[in-house]
Amino acid sequence: MFTRMTIGKKLMTGFSALLVCLLGMSYFSLSAVDGLRKDLDDMANNTARKIELSGDISEAIATMRAESRATVLAAALKDPGEVESARTKYGKNAGLMEQRTKELRPLLLTERGKRAADDLESGLSAWKASFEEMAVLCAAGHVEAADQVRKTKQRPIADQT
């Protein structure tokens, strides 16, 4: 059959086969690029946002720990202005942590991530309660007892968080 075809028909058949291959490759290339675009979109909008929120939460935790220590130190030095300043900064960072956790929750897809967000929220409420207990002891001048609350109640919560 192929031997009976003229050179023009052979060229046209080869060109047609090449065109079909080119169209097929174009379709698969565009499909792959579209898949990459969707992956990049997901990474930029979801994954990067999760990382940013996690970083904000970690920063808030570190600052809350520092402000807890600052509260005890200011109470030991009998500086009520610094005690109040540390207490205010602690409250600000606790609020930031709570807000970032709420922003993070809709982005979480796995049960493990959702449980971790639940643990963050419950840990934060327990941490706030123990901080208030410590702050009351600091205001009353019981620095040793306040530091004990910080070590025995707040530290485990902060470590878990």
Side-chain angles (χ1 to χ4, degrees):
M1 174 180 136
F2 197 66
T3 55
R4 292 188 188 166
M5 295 174 74
T6 64
I7 190 76
K9 288 182 180 178
K10 289 178 183 177
L11 284 173
M12 194 54 121
T13 303
F15 179 75
S16 298
L18 189 60
L19 187 60
V20 168
C21 288
L22 180 66
L23 290 174
M25 297 258 312
S26 297
Y27 171 76
F28 289 117
S29 295
L30 288 174
S31 296
V33 168
D34 189 48
L36 288 173
R37 183 191 57 78
K38 288 177 183 174
D39 289 346
L40 182 62
D41 233 19
D42 181 53
M43 184 178 66
N45 294 329
N46 292 332
T47 306
R49 184 67 181 145
K50 286 182 210 176
I51 292 169
E52 181 183 358
L53 291 171
S54 297
D56 288 349
I57 290 169
S58 294
E59 182 182 347
I61 290 169
T63 305
M64 289 165 58
R65 291 182 91 157
E67 294 306 331
S68 182
R69 287 186 211 102
T71 302
V72 173
L73 179 62
L77 296 173
K78 295 179 174 56
D79 188 349
E82 280 298 312
V83 170
E84 191 55 39
S85 173
R87 197 173 186 176
T88 302
K89 289 177 185 175
Y90 176 89
K92 178 182 155 208
N93 281 287
L96 178 70
M97 182 180 161
E98 188 173 10
Q99 176 190 8
R100 294 299 190 249
T101 304
K102 286 180 182 173
E103 289 177 35
L104 182 64
R105 185 174 292 285
L107 299 175
L108 300 174
L109 303 175
T110 64
E111 282 303 313
R112 182 175 171 235
K114 292 175 183 177
R115 277 194 312 272
D118 291 338
D119 291 345
L120 275 175
E121 287 179 348
S122 64
L124 179 61
S125 61
W127 195 354
K128 282 180 181 179
S130 67
F131 181 84
E132 283 306 314
E133 180 183 348
M134 183 196 75
V136 167
L137 289 169
C138 284
H142 304 295
V143 179
E144 292 83 12
D147 192 45
Q148 199 62 29
V149 167
R150 184 186 67 80
K151 288 177 183 175
T152 59
K153 289 185 180 179
Q154 288 183 28
R155 185 180 290 164
I157 294 168
D159 289 343
Q160 180 186 2
T161 305

